[in-house]
Structure formats: C-alpha cells, structure tokens
Amino acid sequence: MTVQAFDLSGKVALVTGANTGIGQGIAVALAKAGANIALAARRSPDETKALVEAEGGRAHVVMADLSSTQPCERIVDETVDALGRIDILVNNAGIIRRADALDFSEEDWDAVMDVNLKVLFFLSQAVARHMTGWASQDGTRGKIVNIASMLTFQGGIRVPSYTASKSGVGGLTKLLANEWAPKGINVNAIAPGYIATNNTAALQADEYRNRQILERIPEGRWGDPADIGGAAVFLASKAADYVQGHILAVDGGWLAR
Ligand code: NAP
C-alpha cells in the first residue's frame, strides 16, 4: 500500500451539509487529497467553497433543502453536469432536537428522521444508480460515506429521534454495503465523537454536561471538524476498497471507556 492509494486526484465528491461544521471539515480534507467537490447546502456555502478552491480543487454549489427527498435526483444531475460524475458521496447533513421522551413531539420525530435517515437513503439510491453506470466497469469503485454518531452505538438521553436515526444509519450502512459491494460501491460510515460544531453548541454551553463529556474523553478535548477529515479521505480512497459496512469511530477514545 503506497501513499498514492489515498490520492483522490480527479475524483468528484458530493458532500451534503457542507456549509459548516463536520461537512466543511470533510469537504476541505477531500479537496486537500485532490478531489473536486460538489457542496450541497440549503444556505450558500461561500466559506467552504473558498476553502476548497484554496486547495486547488473545483467547488460547485448545489442549493438544496434536504428535509425532503424532492431534490435528490436534481442534486445528482446538477453535480454530474457541472463536474462530470460522482465518485464519492458523503451523507453529512443532519439535525438534532432535544426534549424528554415523555414530551417529545411528532414534529421533532419526523424532522430529524427525514433529514438524518430518509433523505440519506434516497440520496444514496440516486447516487448509486449513477455509480452503477460505471463502477467496477472502468476499474474504479464508488464510495459512500455516511455520518453516524456515538448514538449509533449508545442510547443517549433526551434525543429519541436522533438516536433512532443514527442507529438506523448504522443498519442502513451495512445493508447497502451488502447489496452494493458486488456492484462496485463501498458503503461505510464515520461515527464522530463529541465535535465542537453548531450541532453540539447547547452541550458545550452547559457547564455540567461539558465537564461530564470532557472527563470521559481520553483525549481530554472536544474534537474539531478537521479531526474527521482523515477518516473521510481513507474511506473515500482506493486504500479502503476492501472495507465494507464498517462504522469507524473518530471519538478521541470515548467508546473505549
Ligand atoms: P452542523 O454544523 O449543524 O452541520 C449540520 C449541517 O447539515 C449544516 O450544514 C446544516 O445546514 C445541514 N443541514 C441540516 N438540515 C439541512 C437541510 N434540511 N437541508 C440541507 N442541509 C441541512 O453540525 P455538525 O456537527 O457538523 O453535523 C454534521 C453531521 O455530523 C450531522 O449528521 C450530525 O448528526 C453528525 N454528528 C455530529 C457530531 C458532533 O459532535 N458535532 C457527532 C456525531 C455526529 P445549516 O447550516 O443550513 O443548518
């Protein structure tokens, strides 16, 4: 295995929720490895676009609200029109809603399940239909990387729809790997630990929970979106051609405790 196995030069990656946080960290890491990036976002991802271009990559913005499946096929078509094809899909967009399970609303259940699980599946389907047009036939493989969570493995508290959705992401990652491995597509997931982003702003601001979390992380710090980039490059690269249905924790040791 040489360092070239991690090279993404000439590859096209579609990253959802790329305007901020982990999506931005992944888009920049994939660009550093040589990929051109389609940035799917509901708010203009100007900062990420500039960061990708500063790495010498092409960045194409696809404006899309991922709370419904409606834009999935358009996202694929626009990306292929602009950048030629899609070699890598990173399903990163996600939301969280917090309330006691006794009070949790149907609206908060549906909103989270739609973005985190339903759209992840149907966008993967749309991209896989595109990938099966070339995967394996030209000696290269398609790569799908889903963003899971510690709550793919654990129960959490006050986040019932988030836990259900991220546990679902773990199961779907394995199902899709089983079905699509023979078609030349690798499907894997990254489970980030506690990463300092908008998604965790409430936890970071809560002095008690912040201390509890830091005490459990062997690395002793919140993760940074850039910490997730290396795992994304690996799973998107030729180096991971024989990795299937794996959920790679990048958590500063949280699960080891
Ligand atoms: P974030 O900064 O809030 O990023 C979430 C991204 O998803 C944003 O770009 C957001 O866009 C986008 N998004 C949400 N709903 C959308 C919609 N309807 N249409 C289009 N885009 C939408 O939080 P993050 O922590 O980076 O989260 C990224 C992923 O990592 C999520 O799947 C999250 O569950 C997962 N994760 C995070 C952590 C953590 O500790 N931070 C841990 C485990 C897993 P807007 O900016 O427009 O809202």
Side-chain angles (χ1 to χ4, degrees):
M1 180 69 59
T2 63
V3 76
Q4 281 82 14
F6 300 89
D7 182 22
L8 301 179
S9 296
K11 301 287 183 186
V12 174
L14 167 61
V15 182
T16 69
N19 55 303
T20 182
I22 291 171
Q24 182 178 81
I26 289 174
V28 172
L30 296 175
K32 272 188 207 291
N36 296 319
I37 318 286
L39 308 164
R42 62 179 167 180
R43 290 186 295 127
S44 199
D46 299 331
E47 189 182 56
T48 311
K49 185 171 189 292
L51 290 168
V52 166
E53 287 169 349
E55 296 298 337
R58 288 175 66 197
H60 178 78
V61 173
V62 183
M63 295 306 296
D65 180 348
L66 296 167
S67 60
S68 88
T69 57
Q70 189 263 332
C72 289
E73 285 180 20
R74 175 178 61 81
I75 293 169
V76 175
D77 291 345
E78 271 190 39
T79 303
V80 173
D81 281 351
L83 297 174
R85 72 182 206 179
I86 304 172
D87 299 279
I88 299 154
L89 166 65
V90 181
N91 280 307
N92 164 78
I95 57 172
I96 193 164
R97 299 277 171 89
R98 297 174 197 279
D100 291 347
L102 280 175
D103 303 323
F104 207 79
S105 70
E106 188 172 344
E107 195 272 327
D108 282 346
W109 179 271
D110 287 343
V112 172
M113 292 297 276
D114 283 352
V115 179
N116 294 13
L117 192 57
K118 184 175 178 182
V119 172
L120 175 146
F121 173 74
F122 284 101
L123 184 59
S124 299
Q125 181 190 67
V127 170
R129 286 175 176 163
H130 158 76
M131 286 174 169
T132 52
W134 52 262
S136 283
Q137 296 152 40
D138 66 359
T140 60
R141 301 180 64 86
K143 307 282 178 174
I144 297 178
V145 181
N146 297 322
I147 302 305
S149 165
M150 293 295 96
L151 301 188
T152 303
F153 308 105
Q154 301 177 308
I157 188 166
R158 304 189 72 248
V159 287
S161 55
Y162 189 80
T163 300
S165 71
K166 293 297 183 177
S167 298
V169 168
L172 260 187
T173 298
K174 293 175 204 170
L175 173 133
L176 296 177
N178 293 338
E179 288 203 24
W180 293 347
K183 297 183 187 302
I185 300 170
N186 293 76
V187 187
N188 291 290
I190 296 169
Y194 284 79
I195 313 298
T197 67
N198 298 339
N199 175 292
T200 51
L203 287 179
Q204 294 168 69
D206 180 333
E207 208 177 305
Y208 175 70
R209 288 286 287 127
N210 187 49
R211 194 176 63 248
Q212 272 188 327
I213 288 166
L214 285 177
E215 278 171 2
R216 188 186 154 147
I217 301 173
E219 280 288 341
R221 65 171 176 88
W222 284 78
D224 183 86
D227 288 317
I228 308 300
V233 170
F234 166 59
L235 291 175
S237 74
K238 189 165 175 43
D241 274 0
Y242 201 59
V243 181
Q244 280 287 12
H246 185 66
I247 303 164
L248 175 54
V250 182
D251 64 352
W254 173 273
L255 287 178
R257 286 295 275 268

